[in-house]
Amino acid sequence: MRVLVKGAGVAGLTVAHELLRRGAEVRIIDPSRNFRQAASWLAGGMLAPWCERESADEAVLEHGRDSVDRWEAIVPGKVVHNGTLVVALNRDQNELKRFASRTTGYRWVEEHEIATLEPSLSGRFRHGLFFPQEAHLNPREVLQSLKNDLSAKGVTFADEIEDDGEFAEVVDCTGAARIGQNGELRGVRGEMLYLQTEEVTLARPVRLLHPRFPVYIVPRGKGLFMVGATMIETDFQGPITARSLMELLNTAYALHPAFADAAIVETGSGIRPAFPDNLPRVSREGNVIILNGLYRHGFLLAPTMAVEAADLVFSEQTRQRSPRCA
């Protein structure tokens, strides 16, 4: 069976991987020659369903709790199994208690254990939450690795295609490009930056809680850190705003003062597609299967949603081939 996948972000690539695994012949089209136009390129890459449950529906936890194992199967060796650390300044301890009350899968850690987990944070935080089952990956490395693997296994990539009628099925994973085509889909702007410093080392994502702008800092190795991310209810495209840049930098500084002297090597902003309930959907519209609405959970939920999309592709083909449906 020949299947056309539209979109080469994390959704499109994981769908292609799942379809290929089941024996389909897959082509991917995306007008961008690299990943820099995809929201996936700006992602944190945190496989953190228990942390996300603090502000997300229970379904995010249920669908995301096996994401670590799924990603290990897709890109072996690319997942870092060091958990997640959540901390707050002394004046914001109520935020830490509130966070704990809304999720599970953690244990409380005190100052000495925080120092053991992250020596750079020694003496800076009295209490924290450690989520040992969580993990993270580098989205940019994973996207390129997955694309290379798919290409090596026969998946073809193109900028465009004149006729999709030659394909048995079409799966649309174009994300924010469908805003305006689907009345329920909206854009949520996210902004991030990359800092580089040799004065701080982190082994895992660290979330610093704050009543107005909680952020996460994810190590990328070689002194590089991704700091993100804002959530602004708008689909306005454009560079990072001064307000967001200041808030992200202030929070990084609050985590560790050495970030004040870090080099800002990159800033970015992107639009996350989201439905009203902030949960992704796989649906059929005419002859096209659509996977969209990953919101802020792209890498966390993409493997599970890819399975759902592939199930729909193959169940539809089975139905069409069945004599009872002739």
Side-chain angles (χ1 to χ4, degrees), residues 10-294:
V10 66
L13 293 181
T14 50
V15 165
H17 177 273
E18 184 63 24
L19 291 170
L20 186 68
R21 191 184 68 82
R22 301 189 192 193
E25 180 183 344
V26 182
R27 171 169 286 192
I28 298 176
I29 61 168
D30 195 308
S32 175
R33 290 186 175 272
N34 53 47
F35 298 109
R36 294 179 183 275
Q37 301 303 314
S40 311
W41 188 253
L42 303 177
M46 296 177 294
L47 308 180
W50 287 273
C51 278
E52 289 300 308
R53 179 65 182 95
E54 178 268 338
S55 60
D57 191 274
E58 178 72 17
V60 171
L61 175 59
E62 293 302 314
H63 285 84
R65 66 169 69 243
D66 65 347
S67 63
V68 173
D69 293 336
R70 290 186 184 274
W71 274 114
E72 275 290 7
I74 296 170
V75 284
K78 297 291 185 182
V79 179
V80 182
H81 300 262
N82 285 348
T84 303
L85 178 64
V86 181
V87 295
L89 298 174
N90 289 339
R91 66 173 183 266
D92 296 325
Q93 287 302 297
N94 285 337
E95 289 298 307
L96 199 60
K97 295 175 182 177
R98 182 193 61 80
F99 195 101
S101 72
R102 295 181 59 85
T103 188
T104 56
Y106 63 86
R107 71 171 185 266
W108 282 95
V109 289
E110 304 304 315
E111 187 172 346
H112 70 281
E113 190 170 0
I114 293 173
T116 300
L117 291 168
E118 297 292 357
S120 286
L121 303 183
S122 178
R124 297 198 52 76
F125 301 97
R126 294 180 182 174
H127 310 285
L129 305 172
F130 180 54
F131 293 78
Q133 299 177 74
E134 298 189 336
H136 70 284
L137 47 75
N138 186 325
R140 299 182 180 185
E141 288 184 0
V142 165
L143 289 170
Q144 192 60 60
S145 176
L146 183 50
K147 181 179 181 179
N148 292 343
D149 183 62
L150 291 172
S151 296
K153 293 177 179 177
V155 174
T156 57
F157 289 79
D159 297 338
E160 58 183 354
I161 192 167
E162 294 182 359
D163 180 19
D164 59 16
E166 59 181 297
F167 298 91
E169 291 286 355
V170 176
V171 184
D172 188 310
C173 302
T174 54
R178 288 192 60 84
I179 295 174
Q181 300 177 39
N182 182 309
E184 290 188 283
L185 203 62
R186 76 187 196 282
V188 181
R189 178 179 166 93
E191 299 155 308
M192 49 70 69
L193 56 89
Y194 272 88
L195 298 177
Q196 190 157 32
T197 176
E198 299 298 330
E199 301 301 314
V200 182
T201 58
L202 296 177
R204 57 189 53 78
V206 176
R207 298 185 182 225
L208 180 62
L209 302 183
H210 186 280
R212 287 194 297 118
F213 44 89
V215 303
Y216 52 81
I217 298 180
V218 188
R220 293 287 190 244
K222 299 181 179 179
L224 192 64
F225 299 87
M226 187 269 197
V227 184
T230 61
M231 288 192 297
I232 304 171
E233 291 287 336
T234 179
D235 57 8
F236 169 73
Q237 295 276 11
I240 190 171
T241 65
R243 178 189 296 274
S244 296
L245 181 61
M246 287 188 294
E247 290 181 346
L248 292 173
L249 289 173
N250 284 338
T251 307
Y253 175 78
L255 183 73
H256 198 295
F259 280 119
D261 296 317
I264 301 175
V265 298
E266 180 184 337
T267 64
S269 64
I271 303 301
R272 307 180 181 106
F275 288 108
D277 59 2
N278 294 330
L279 295 176
R281 300 178 189 176
V282 173
S283 60
R284 177 176 286 280
E285 293 184 11
N287 63 345
V288 179
I289 293 169
I290 299 172
L291 192 170
N292 212 318
L294 285 168

